[in-house]
Amino acid sequence: MDESATGGADAGARTAADDAEQPSVRLGVLLADPALGLTQVAGPAAADRLAGTVGTTELDDPTPYLVGGELLLTSGLRLPEDADGIDTYVRRVVAAGVAALGFGVAPVHAEVPTELVRACDRHGLPLLRLPPATPFVAVGRAAYAAIGEARTRELREISRAQSALASAAARPDALRAVLGQLAAHTGAWCALYDAQGTELLSAGRRPASPHLLRDLAVRTLRQADGPRAAATHDADRGSHLTVHTLPAGGDGTAAVTLALGQAAAQPPTTVHRQVTGTATVLLALLTGPRHALSTDTHSVGALVRLMLGATPAEVAPELVPDGPAGGAAGAHWTVVHGRYADAYGPPPSVGVPRLAALATLLGTPYVHIDGPELKALVPCAADARPQAPARAAELGWVLGYSTPVSARDLPHADTQAERALQRALAAGTPAVVHTTDPLTLHTLVDPADARELARTRFARLDGAGPPGAPILLDTLRTWLTVHGSWDRTAALLGVHRNTVRHRLARLADLLDVDLQDPGARMELWFALQWLPGEPAHERP
């Protein structure tokens, strides 16, 4: 596998990808022009070869005046007469990178010399025959006209793609939308990586070996002290991998923290490079502190009002963006609690890019991360069904979702989300969404009786000494959630397993209950749901 830090992969012979960096024309366009009457008489198929310019020469050695990529025209005025001389001539122009040789018959030669045909076949140089009625200048004029038309098409395609990228950057899910448009306009799988190689977001058709792109991104980020690009070509798998680093601040001066990777079946064209350049700038801005952590003027005003005494219900309508929630009047909120899974190691530093990626995945800018803990508020419609994004689990997060509530019921939703998170952790699943089933035991019991049961059942804890009733009840709730596992309870509470045993032993003595009795556990679990502050407690 060959690798370069500037974009090309294989050194040596000039390729179509190299020529694509400059305005050029496919020789097939000239061969198809009936006004020129060109025909190919030797060499490999020339239809897909690119010529950047048309040159004319009658020198016996024109190579000092060639730059590569030319359609070189000659009438053979000083072409060597012997086979060895012709072979040397062809070998020289091939080494100079000529795209093809055009030979004009008459008046010097009545037909293309046989030895020239053989030499071009031998050295792999396309040889085109120009009929006597076709002036060399006509070939040049047709080539430059075709180059101009191709360039105009490229500019239009770039303009359309840039417009689509700009529109995507204005959407609430800007990061995902920009990646999606980039994938659509380049035909490549596009992924955003952090310095650890974590795939934050992606779009397009995933390649068979995505780890190759991830590895290139990690190497590039480790070596980069500023924005740069790297590319590699894996001939065995037929993939072209490209990586662009993004500065954290979006201004080209901050430390590099993210990489945009692309995997495509074909080398990038001029259009693809231009479009990717635009997307790179947008992604750098979208993951910069000013954009990712800022809010609009309405949100800022809501924060000011909240700090000066307004209630959440009063300011919530100003925090809801335009979108599927149906406007501020009918907007509700879903509360999300998250925990970074121990299996992924210690939680990574939050950082603006990671926070922006999580905000995009959760569909909200209102995300708070404190070490391994995550909390978020997601605007939604009243009848929305929360959907946990699969990518959040891949980033290492276990999530708990509340049901949609109005702003005044956010405290209850907060409890729901925490309970859902505890169930997700206990079950080892990526996410749990709180549900309210109308046909439950709670609906069959009078709420007043249930509340009285909860009050009396735990009344003996009111006078308990340290650590206090709230901690004892939280330990009991967690222990019941994980089906009586001491180790898992200790891990979830962040204490030693002996501390859990001690707390529950004290609670069992105070309540005079046998915690090994399934019936007692069931009664305690039911009573816990009707304590003040629990959702069941507030039911009519």
Side-chain angles (χ1 to χ4, degrees), residues 345-401:
S349 59
V350 177
V352 173
R354 181 172 289 271
L355 187 56
L358 282 171
T360 298
L361 288 171
L362 296 174
T364 177
Y366 309 118
V367 179
H368 172 67
I369 300 177
D370 183 10
E373 307 293 333
L374 174 152
K375 292 186 178 181
L377 286 173
V378 182
C380 62
D383 58 351
R385 169 67 179 174
Q387 297 290 334
R391 291 287 305 137
E394 295 179 24
L395 293 179
W397 292 95
V398 179
L399 303 176
Y401 281 75

Side-chain angles (χ1 to χ4, degrees), residues 135-203:
F136 287 1
V137 68
V139 178
R141 186 179 300 163
Y144 297 133
I147 290 174
E149 292 176 1
R151 186 56 179 165
T152 298
R153 288 194 299 271
E154 289 179 350
L155 291 175
R156 288 174 180 170
E157 186 176 348
I158 292 171
S159 178
R160 286 194 297 268
Q162 290 176 336
S163 178
L165 288 170
S167 298
R171 289 177 47 177
D173 57 339
L175 285 176
R176 187 187 301 278
V178 168
L179 279 181
Q181 288 296 329
L182 179 60
H185 285 275
T186 61
W189 180 62
C190 304
L192 203 59
Y193 298 96
D194 65 10
Q196 290 72 44
T198 304
E199 181 189 312
L200 302 177
L201 293 169
S202 64

